[in-house]
Structures are given as C-alpha cells and as structure tokens.
Amino acid sequence: VDVSAVKTPSRNPDSEKALQWWRKARFGLFIHWSLSSIKAGEWKGEVVPGLAEWMMFQKKIPVAEFAPLAQEFNPRKFDAAAWAQLAVDAGMRYVVITAKHHEGFAMYHSKADPYNVVDATPWGRDPLKELAKECRKRRLKLCFYYSQDLDWHHPDGAWNTWDYDEAKKKPERYLREKVFPQLRELLTQYGSIGMIWFDTPLTLSRAQSRRIRKFVKDLQPQCLVSGRIGHGLGDYSLPRDNFLPGARLEGDWETCATMNDTWGYKRTDHAWKPVDNLITTLVDLASKGSNYLLNVGPDADGVVPAPSVKRLHQMGAWMAVNGEAIRGTTPSPFKPEFSWGRMTTKGRSLFLHFFGRPERRFRLHGLKTKVRSAALLAAPEVKFAVTQSVDPATGTPLLDIDFKGFKSTRPVTVVKLQLAAAPEVEERT
Ligand code: H57
C-alpha cells in the first residue's frame, strides 16, 4: 500500500498561528520506541524482513504471544534528559515520539487501556512524562506520534486479521474506547503539545478524520495535526516515508526519514547513511520548503544506537555554525536545484549552500537585488569580492563572486549574501 503525498490542506486561522514555530524549526527528532524494540527485528531467532516495528504484522504474531513482551520491558538506561539533549545538540527544535504505534501499546500511563508502559511492565515508569519535563526545560516542542487507524491490539483496530474477524470489527468502538480517550490523556496530562503526528490513514472515513482533528483542536487549539490524519485534513503535508522531493514544494511540508532502513530498533540494520548525505538532505529540504524529521530507534535498554548519536552530533556541529541558514528560512525565489548547491533566504539575507568547493569565479544569473556583502557564515570576517553587472547581450543581471584561494569545508559551505532588500529574481531565470 502506498501512502502517497497529500495536498496541502486549506487551513483555518488557528493552524496558521500554530504553524509559526514549526515553520521556523525546520529540523526535528523522530523517536520510534515500543514493545518491538525489545525484539530488535528478530522473532524466535529469525531476522524478520522489513521494518522492525512492523514485525507483529509481518509474522502475524497473535496478541496472546506479542503482548507478554511487556513483561520484558525494562529499559534500565532510559534517560529522558539525554534524549532531549541529543535533539538540542543536533540543532533540532522539536521531538516526535511514538505514544502509540500500530502494535497498540501505549508508551505512557493510560487509564483508558491497561496495555501500557506503566501498568503492564516491570519498569513501571512513564517515559513521556519524563520526556515532557526535559523538553520543557530546553524549550523543545514535544509532539506525539499516535496511530489513529492501524491498531493490531484492539479487536476493532485496523489490519489485525489473524486474531480478529474483519467482518465483526466496529471501527467506531475502537475510536470510542481507545483513540479518543487516549488522545484526551495525551492532550491533558503532558502540558502543551506541539503536534499529534497521525500516520498511515488507510481505513478511517473523512468524517472520522474530521472528528479526530476537531477533538485535538478543541483540547489544544495550538496543537498541530499531521497531514496523515488523512483526507487532506492536516495542518501540513508529508511526502511518503523517506521520499525526498525533487522540486520546490508549495505550502507547508515535512519529510520524515530514517538514518538506516528501519524506524524501530533493528540489530541487523547497519545501512547507516553517511552524515554528509544527512546534512545535504537537511539543506536540500530547507531549500525546497520542507522540514526534516529525522528518526532514531532506541533499543530495549532505552539507548539510542551509537551510529545515530554520532551522526546527530556531527549534524549539530554543522548547525551550530550554519543554523541561521536553515532555521527560520524560506526557499529562495530561484529554481531550487543548482549543480553547485542550494539556496535559502531570510529577510534581506540570501544563503548560498555550496555542496563542494565553489568555482573560483562563481556566477549567478538573474539576481536583481543589490548585494552589499558576501561572507562566510561560519566566519563572517572571511569576505568575498562581489561584482554585479548586466549581460549586454541578454540584459540578465549577473552576480560574480571571487572565491580565489578559498578552500571550502565539507560537506556544505554556506556563504551569506547581505542584500539591500529581499531577493528579487528576474522572471526569465
Ligand atoms: O512509523 C513509521 C513511519 C513513520 N510510518 C510507518 C512506519 O512504521 C510505516 C507506514 N508504512 C506505510 C504502509 C502502509 C501499508 C503498509 C506500509 C507490510 C506489508 C504491507 C505493508 C507493510 Fe504496506
């Protein structure tokens, strides 16, 4: 099944206001953590192909066999402060954690369903409470992933056909007994919530999606609803999982992606993307108007895999000096992709993100606005000579920057152009 990109929905004034922090943030941490994290992608000694958090579905594991995993859930090394700090160190401004994924297990203390991390495990702690406190301290927006449609534990939830008879399912009972009560808990017991990240809209009707959206907004009007509430009713849009858009996007977008091949922890998945690719992707997405929600899958001990931590720290080092060219920016008025890199803009600044070493005589066609200065964002004392002219043959405005002798730094070097006004581009370019 292909959950394709949804169109940017028409919005109400509430969502416009709620989107402000999210638009500026540009970079967030996704955390997939649930019972299947214990199995690390293996069931009965066998590696299960595909996404680790889809194991229950892939192997058609009966609830009677899967649910007892809760008795093994004891993440001794869980440290909410460390997780929140990791997001801050990476240069992120929000965190989205699985409050309930498709397997139906609530990763917080739910009174609505005893199948939850406090009541059903020997651990007995509420990681979302702890994370809420640590996020608040660091001014990180806390957001909850909530699987509103697929639920393989509730008898009326979608897609568990091996335990429950499809013909007897009453989706309304699932919404009434589980979805609405749990959303109420999540939106009343953890302070202000940045967003409910709904996912995988496959069976709910437009009317049901609309009721869920309204339920969220009635409890917390500033809380965003992700595009995957379905039926174009979210506050913003998402491409498919791990899909990188090739063009500039109109409206508000968020691209969610993994660092390896799976969301939940999988011991055998070593397909780690090089950090240079992750940074380039962050730049590419910002230049096209999309947020980047980058995932980690902590293990059964509550530890984020070392390769993920390493990459987030490296991204954070880049963001610490170049974050100004990402956060709070919008795409430039130019076409989005250049062979040399990408552009973002903020007010009277135009940021050139070079993916490699810039040409000694770099030329940009079509910028009509006067350039006052060009400097290295990471070291503003490093200035470059700028010449503006008009191509006598075509009348196209030309900008030349002299990079002679300049050695760029990997993977992306940002040059900040200070302009006399917001950048304007000639129509023809
Ligand atoms: O939470 C992560 C990510 C953010 N979205 C979820 C994933 O677990 C995956 C949604 N995947 C879309 C999808 C829809 C139907 C099935 C996958 C196994 C067999 C059939 C399928 C998967 Fe398909």
Side-chain angles (χ1 to χ4, degrees):
V1 182
D2 175 27
V3 183
S4 308
V6 287
K7 293 251 157 44
T8 298
S10 52
R11 290 189 296 268
N12 57 48
D14 266 359
S15 50
E16 194 58 33
K17 202 167 148 225
L19 278 161
Q20 283 173 11
W21 70 265
W22 179 90
R23 281 181 185 143
K24 286 195 194 115
R26 277 286 177 254
F27 192 27
L29 183 66
F30 213 171
I31 306 176
H32 274 71
W33 200 42
S34 190
L35 286 185
S36 52
S37 308
I38 300 171
K39 301 313 290 181
E42 285 156 47
W43 185 251
K44 295 187 174 167
E46 180 204 329
V47 175
V48 182
L51 303 176
E53 73 283 3
W54 274 72
M55 163 189 296
M56 185 181 178
F57 178 86
Q58 301 281 47
K59 300 302 287 182
K60 306 287 180 282
I61 304 169
V63 167
E65 274 187 66
F66 191 85
L69 279 179
Q71 291 153 31
E72 294 172 41
F73 194 76
N74 198 4
R76 291 165 206 282
K77 295 184 183 153
F78 172 73
D79 180 354
W83 288 11
Q85 193 56 41
L86 183 60
V88 170
D89 290 347
M92 294 159 159
R93 290 288 189 263
Y94 64 113
V95 176
V96 184
I97 185 168
T98 47
K100 189 205 77 169
H101 203 268
H102 308 333
E103 55 196 53
F105 188 70
M107 290 299 288
Y108 71 97
H109 194 194
S110 174
K111 311 275 185 317
D113 189 342
Y115 192 49
N116 73 70
V117 69
V118 174
D119 295 323
T121 75
W123 192 49
R125 277 159 60 182
D126 182 339
L128 301 196
K129 264 263 142 69
E130 297 179 31
L131 195 60
K133 182 170 155 231
E134 298 301 333
C135 285
R136 207 171 301 125
K137 266 192 210 167
R138 294 168 177 78
R139 294 164 180 265
L140 274 169
K141 288 278 185 183
L142 178 66
C143 310
F144 294 138
Y145 175 110
Y146 190 88
S147 180
Q148 81 282 16
D149 197 332
L150 304 199
D151 190 304
W152 304 324
H153 184 262
H154 193 283
D156 298 298
W159 278 43
N160 182 338
T161 51
W162 55 98
D163 283 299
Y164 311 119
D165 183 352
E166 285 290 297
K168 291 192 183 135
K169 282 187 184 175
K170 293 199 167 62
E172 274 301 323
R173 194 162 52 192
Y174 162 61
L175 295 182
R176 188 175 67 242
E177 288 180 357
K178 194 164 183 179
V179 174
F180 287 122
Q182 290 198 327
L183 286 175
R184 181 182 297 284
E185 292 171 339
L186 290 168
L187 289 162
T188 54
Q189 294 169 21
Y190 298 86
S192 171
I193 300 305
M195 157 177 19
I196 304 288
W197 210 96
F198 295 106
D199 194 13
T200 323
L202 290 173
T203 70
L204 295 183
S205 69
R206 184 182 174 86
Q208 286 167 328
S209 293
R210 200 187 296 111
R211 274 161 54 213
I212 295 171
R213 180 192 161 96
K214 183 174 183 318
F215 191 85
V216 171
K217 298 284 178 180
D218 283 350
L219 287 168
Q220 291 206 22
Q222 89 300 334
C223 181
L224 292 168
V225 168
S226 80
R228 293 191 189 160
I229 184 68
H231 305 282
L233 293 168
D235 292 311
Y236 68 90
S237 309
L238 297 111
R240 297 190 304 277
D241 290 351
N242 274 311
F243 180 81
L244 302 180
R248 177 178 170 170
L249 302 162
E250 294 305 325
D252 296 296
W253 289 80
E254 178 182 61
T255 301
C256 60
T258 50
M259 287 196 214
N260 51 356
D261 286 337
T262 182
W263 305 87
Y265 178 65
K266 188 169 186 173
R267 205 188 325 269
T268 53
D269 184 351
H270 305 296
W272 301 103
K273 291 163 194 159
V275 68
D276 286 9
N277 293 20
L278 301 175
I279 293 172
T280 310
T281 298
L282 173 62
V283 169
D284 178 52
L285 291 173
S287 79
K288 290 169 181 165
S290 175
N291 281 13
Y292 191 19
L293 183 60
L294 186 56
N295 182 73
V296 297
D299 68 15
D301 287 331
V303 175
V304 176
S308 301
V309 173
K310 184 177 160 200
R311 282 162 180 74
L312 290 175
H313 282 155
Q314 289 170 318
M315 294 183 87
W318 186 87
M319 280 294 277
V321 281
N322 296 296
E324 184 191 337
I326 299 290
R327 279 191 294 265
T329 65
T330 55
S332 83
F334 288 86
K335 65 172 187 175
E337 293 190 3
F338 291 86
S339 57
W340 51 265
R342 300 287 185 273
M343 284 194 255
T344 55
T345 185
K346 186 194 294 175
R348 295 177 181 187
S349 301
L350 185 63
F351 301 99
L352 310 183
H353 301 251
F354 290 98
F355 288 173
R357 189 174 179 163
E359 279 184 61
R360 293 159 124 245
R361 274 193 77 73
F362 170 81
R363 173 165 278 189
L364 182 69
H365 295 257
L367 180 66
K368 293 202 288 189
T369 322
K370 163 103 182 108
V371 178
R372 293 202 197 282
S373 66
L376 202 57
L377 183 60
E381 68 279 6
V382 181
K383 299 212 188 306
F384 305 102
V386 186
T387 318
Q388 284 180 287
S389 59
V390 175
D391 185 324
T394 62
T396 303
L398 302 173
L399 168 69
D400 290 294
I401 307 178
D402 184 0
F403 285 116
K404 191 158 168 277
F406 172 65
K407 290 179 188 60
S408 60
T409 48
R410 59 143 278 271
V412 181
T413 305
V414 182
V415 172
K416 178 178 177 176
L417 304 186
Q418 204 53 64
L419 312 181
E424 265 193 86
V425 171
E426 201 183 56
E427 291 302 327
R428 278 176 284 175
T429 38

